[in-house]
Amino acid sequence: MFSKTIFKQTLKANFKLWLIFTIIMSVFSGVLIAVFDPKTLSSMSDMMKDTPLASMLGSTTFLGMLSQTFYSMQGVILPLIFVIMTANSLIASQVDRGSMAYLLSTPIKRSTVVRTQAIYLVTSLVVMFTILSIS
């Protein structure tokens, strides 16, 4: 089952954190896209051809540069931090604060609460990556 009320409350409680991570990732992506210049990358790869750093430079295409820079570190670590922080606040912090006891005193099952919050977590990541792909 799914609870609209719990979903809305979870959305309101975690919207600022989601927005901060989405904006930071969009800015990183936008800066990398704005800085991309194939001539500079090809000249750098020619300059570093015989050094150990040549493997780090990767391809001179746009997608190669994006995969080597953004999606190797920031595009993975920032969403991972968001997932850890959000997942902790969804269940564990509610148990610690005692608000989970109030929530479970209503006729809502525990599985509905957990399923609704898991749906929020997956939905927030999908929307985050959709916005990141569009920008």
Side-chain angles (χ1 to χ4, degrees):
M1 295 306 253
F2 177 79
S3 174
K4 258 187 184 178
T5 309
I6 295 173
F7 189 83
K8 286 180 185 178
Q9 186 273 333
T10 305
L11 181 69
K12 287 178 185 177
N14 294 303
F15 182 73
K16 288 181 185 177
L17 183 67
W18 175 84
L19 187 64
I20 290 169
F21 275 92
T22 304
I23 289 173
I24 288 172
M25 288 177 56
S26 294
V27 167
F28 279 157
S29 176
V31 167
L32 286 174
I33 291 169
V35 169
F36 176 72
D37 183 20
K39 293 177 185 177
T40 306
L41 285 177
S42 64
S43 65
M44 285 182 69
S45 65
D46 291 340
M47 185 175 62
M48 294 184 178
K49 192 183 313 181
D50 298 328
T51 65
L53 297 174
S55 64
M56 288 179 60
L57 191 58
S59 176
T60 58
T61 64
F62 175 68
L63 290 177
M65 190 263 320
L66 209 59
S67 69
Q68 288 290 321
T69 56
F70 183 71
Y71 288 110
S72 65
M73 286 296 280
Q74 295 98 349
V76 175
I77 290 178
L78 287 175
L80 184 63
I81 293 170
F82 171 75
V83 166
I84 291 169
M85 291 174 67
T86 305
N88 185 43
S89 73
L90 290 177
I91 300 295
S93 68
Q94 285 188 1
V95 171
D96 290 342
R97 287 190 317 242
S99 60
M100 185 62 82
Y102 293 119
L103 187 60
L104 294 176
S105 66
T106 63
I108 298 173
K109 294 181 181 180
R110 292 178 184 177
S111 61
T112 303
V113 172
V114 172
R115 195 174 299 122
T116 301
Q117 292 180 339
I119 289 171
Y120 165 76
L121 187 61
V122 170
T123 304
S124 66
L125 285 174
V126 167
V127 172
M128 179 187 292
F129 281 113
T130 303
I131 291 173
L132 185 62
S133 298
I134 290 171
S135 65

